[in-house]
Amino acid sequence: MKTKGAISQFIENYYLHFNAATLVDAAKGYESQLDHGGKMLVSLAGAMSTAELGKIFAEMIRQDKVHIVSCTGANLEEDIMNLVAHSHYKRIPNYRDLTPQQEWELLEQGLNRVTDTCIPEEEAFRRLQKHIFKIWKDAEEAGERYFPHEFMYKMLLSGVLEQYYEIDIKDSWMYAAAKANLPMVVPGWEDSTMGNIFASYVMKGELKASTMKSGIEYMTFLADWYTDNSKNGIGFFQIGGGIAGDFPICVVPMLYQDMERTDTPFWNYFCQISDSTTSYGSYSGAVPNEKITWGKLDIHTPKFIIESDATIVAPLLFAYLLNM
């Protein structure tokens, strides 16, 4: 095992209590999962790609510390948008003070705001649109169907975007995933920008909806992947809440209860980074123990919830795993 670097040593020396201590415990639990030959699913909610998590998450993928990803359609596309249009993004540090009129002015400039960062519509969305449409259309004409992430992989690996690169390619987690052909599920892809664009082509009669594989097909793919890879256990590392986490964690009770495969193992590690307030009826704010009653986690599954901002916590935890 490599010697821990300065960041990891700092974390071990000073992160001793409360949420900080949970971060260390969760990192050590993740490390133990890998050391024992287990796999890890990482789910990405929120706008982690726009927050440039790829600068460290790409290295996690390259070092085989992530074995499958569940992410929103937004995170799928926004990493690539950052790759091809980074210099056109605009940061709004005083975003809390914006008036409705100022928000409207950003819209008129083609700037779509995500908290303190504006994504440039023309350079990001439209730059990708013409290339991804051709890949969609070519597949349809060849009678082929693929998942949303597979189409993105094809676009990245084809080289058609290289002319636009504005960041170091090593900082794109999607490129790292494409190179590794990393398994992925993208539940609810239709609500992303590219999903909306695809739907518009379907409505105009230029594409068939069936060219894009569906959410049900993602679930059946995940069920097969889980079954084939659960020999030494599979862990669940959840960043944020929402469908990116809700969708994949259900594969265990689906296999156990609905498929009646009673030998299906539970997820054997669980950690969620969340700033959701623990509350009644909120899935994102539910404590991990609640998942025991739904047949997702075992009594003995190591469970961690780090109540903090994922843009702060995730890079630190990943740095620990990378011995930085």
Side-chain angles (χ1 to χ4, degrees):
M1 182 177 171
K2 290 183 180 178
T3 303
K4 291 293 185 185
I7 297 173
S8 301
Q9 290 178 32
F10 178 90
I11 290 169
E12 287 192 318
N13 285 335
Y14 296 104
Y15 281 39
L16 304 176
H17 301 283
F18 318 137
N19 270 306
T22 305
L23 185 157
V24 178
D25 292 342
K28 290 181 176 179
Y30 193 132
E31 201 166 55
S32 176
Q33 173 78 2
L34 301 182
D35 289 346
H36 288 89
K39 306 276 188 181
M40 189 66 75
L41 177 147
V42 173
S43 77
L44 297 177
M48 296 309 296
S49 289
T50 293
E52 299 188 68
L53 186 68
K55 290 174 76 76
I56 194 165
F57 191 49
E59 189 61 24
M60 288 282 291
I61 293 169
R62 283 190 290 269
Q63 292 197 24
D64 196 32
K65 297 183 186 296
V66 181
H67 305 99
I68 187 169
V69 167
S70 172
C71 77
T72 58
N75 276 305
L76 183 75
E77 67 196 12
E78 287 176 13
D79 179 80
I80 305 174
M81 291 174 185
N82 181 58
L83 172 64
V84 303
H86 182 77
S87 69
H88 299 277
Y89 279 59
K90 182 176 181 179
R91 187 160 179 263
I92 313 286
N94 63 328
Y95 67 92
R96 290 182 177 87
D97 303 325
L98 295 178
T99 64
Q101 179 60 39
Q102 289 172 315
E103 300 275 23
W104 182 261
E105 288 166 2
L106 289 173
L107 170 65
E108 290 186 318
Q109 295 171 54
L111 293 169
N112 303 133
R113 185 171 68 80
V114 179
T115 313
D116 70 347
T117 303
C118 291
I119 301 174
E121 183 170 330
E122 194 61 37
E123 292 82 5
F125 303 134
R126 304 307 168 196
R127 188 169 280 179
L128 295 185
Q129 181 176 351
K130 59 185 176 183
H131 296 294
I132 196 67
F133 173 74
K134 184 178 187 306
I135 292 170
W136 290 335
K137 193 66 177 174
D138 288 349
E140 184 169 297
E141 290 176 350
E144 297 170 347
R145 305 176 64 243
Y146 297 100
F147 285 119
H149 77 276
E150 292 177 315
F151 279 117
M152 295 294 198
Y153 283 1
K154 286 178 179 293
M155 182 169 60
L156 284 166
L157 297 176
S158 73
V160 297
L161 299 181
E162 290 180 10
Q163 59 188 305
Y164 308 120
Y165 287 177
E166 295 194 352
I167 64 169
D168 192 325
I169 192 64
K170 72 178 178 59
D171 292 337
S172 166
W173 75 264
M174 271 294 292
Y175 184 78
K179 290 286 285 185
N181 195 25
L182 190 72
M184 193 181 301
V185 294
V186 188
W189 173 77
E190 298 82 1
D191 83 348
S192 67
T193 299
M194 290 297 123
N196 290 175
I197 289 170
F198 183 85
S200 75
Y201 285 122
V202 172
M203 293 177 71
K204 289 184 287 188
E206 296 180 41
L207 287 171
K208 297 174 185 173
S210 58
T211 298
M212 191 67 62
K213 289 189 175 181
S214 70
I216 294 296
E217 288 168 289
Y218 262 136
M219 181 58 81
T220 57
F221 161 78
L222 179 61
D224 289 340
W225 185 91
Y226 192 94
T227 301
D228 293 342
N229 288 274
S230 58
K231 179 181 178 182
N232 294 315
I234 303 173
F236 199 103
F237 188 84
Q238 181 173 350
I239 299 177
I243 195 171
D246 301 352
F247 180 95
I249 204 167
C250 293
V251 75
V252 169
M254 188 269 280
L255 286 168
Y256 190 100
Q257 298 168 15
D258 304 320
M259 291 298 294
E260 299 181 350
R261 296 183 190 172
T262 53
D263 59 342
T264 301
F266 294 104
W267 297 97
N268 73 331
Y269 165 99
F270 177 82
C271 175
Q272 181 179 8
I273 305 170
S274 175
D275 56 7
S276 293
T277 303
T278 302
S279 62
Y280 301 103
S282 165
Y283 190 91
S284 296
V287 295
N289 281 353
E290 186 175 298
K291 293 173 175 59
I292 295 172
T293 72
W294 289 90
K296 298 166 184 173
L297 305 180
D298 190 11
I299 294 173
H300 307 293
T301 301
K303 308 170 191 70
F304 309 94
I305 184 160
I306 307 169
E307 295 180 321
S308 188
D309 185 329
T311 62
I312 298 169
V313 171
L316 286 171
L317 199 149
F318 291 160
Y320 186 91
L321 294 167
L322 294 167
N323 298 310
M324 296 171 71

